[in-house]
Amino acid sequence: MSSVQVARCIISFTWLYHGIFPKIVHIAPLEALIISSFGFSSDISTFITKAAGIGEIVFGVFFFIFYKTYIANALNIIGLTGLLASVAVLQPQLLIEAFNPVTTNIPLIAFSVILLSHIRKVDFKNR
C-alpha cells in the first residue's frame, strides 16, 4: 500500500471512528464535557454531539472518496485545527491527557500535508 493510500485510510478511518463510537454509539465523557462547555442544556448537548458524529461520518466518507482534491485536504486541515483550537480554549486541561487532540489532530494534519504534496506533484507532471 502506498503512503498516499495509508494517509487516505487513516484520515478517513479516524473521522469515521470518532463520529461513530464516542459520539453516536456511546457519548464519551470527554465529548460531553467539551460540548457542555458551550453552556447548552443536556438534551441540546446530546443532540449537538450526535449531529457532530453524523457530520464526522459524512466527512470521513467524503474524504475517502475525494482524498485527491485540494478542497478535501484543506477542509481536513481547517477542521482539525479548529477542533484543536476549540479544545485549547474551552478545556485546555485536555491537551495534556492521554490520547489528546494534540496527538490525534496534528498527525492527521500531517497526513493531509503529505497528500497535498502528492497532489501538487501530480498536477505539476500533468502540465
Side-chain angles (χ1 to χ4, degrees):
M1 185 181 289
S2 71
S3 60
V4 167
Q5 293 305 316
V6 169
R8 171 195 193 192
C9 290
I10 289 174
I11 292 169
S12 299
F13 170 79
T14 303
W15 281 103
L16 291 168
Y17 185 91
H18 281 267
I20 295 168
F21 294 104
K23 291 184 182 76
I24 293 179
V25 172
H26 168 76
I27 297 178
L30 290 178
E31 293 289 346
L33 175 67
I34 293 167
I35 294 297
S36 70
S37 298
F38 289 102
F40 298 117
S41 71
S42 177
D43 289 342
I44 298 292
S45 291
T46 299
F47 174 79
I48 290 170
T49 302
K50 292 195 182 274
I54 291 167
E56 289 181 11
I57 292 165
V58 168
F59 185 75
V61 171
F62 168 82
F63 192 89
F64 188 80
I65 296 167
F66 297 106
Y67 70 100
K68 289 184 180 180
T69 66
Y70 175 82
I71 190 72
N73 285 284
L75 289 172
N76 185 55
I77 292 168
I78 291 166
L80 291 168
T81 302
L83 290 168
L84 181 58
S86 296
V87 171
V89 169
L90 296 171
Q91 296 292 333
Q93 75 278 8
L94 296 180
L95 299 178
I96 59 170
E97 294 293 326
F99 305 106
N100 62 64
V102 173
T103 61
T104 53
N105 293 26
I106 291 174
L108 292 172
I109 290 168
F111 279 129
S112 269
V113 170
I114 291 168
L115 289 172
L116 286 170
S117 73
H118 179 76
I119 292 166
R120 285 191 202 110
K121 286 178 188 173
V122 170
D123 286 347
F124 184 73
K125 286 180 185 177
N126 290 334
R127 289 181 184 191

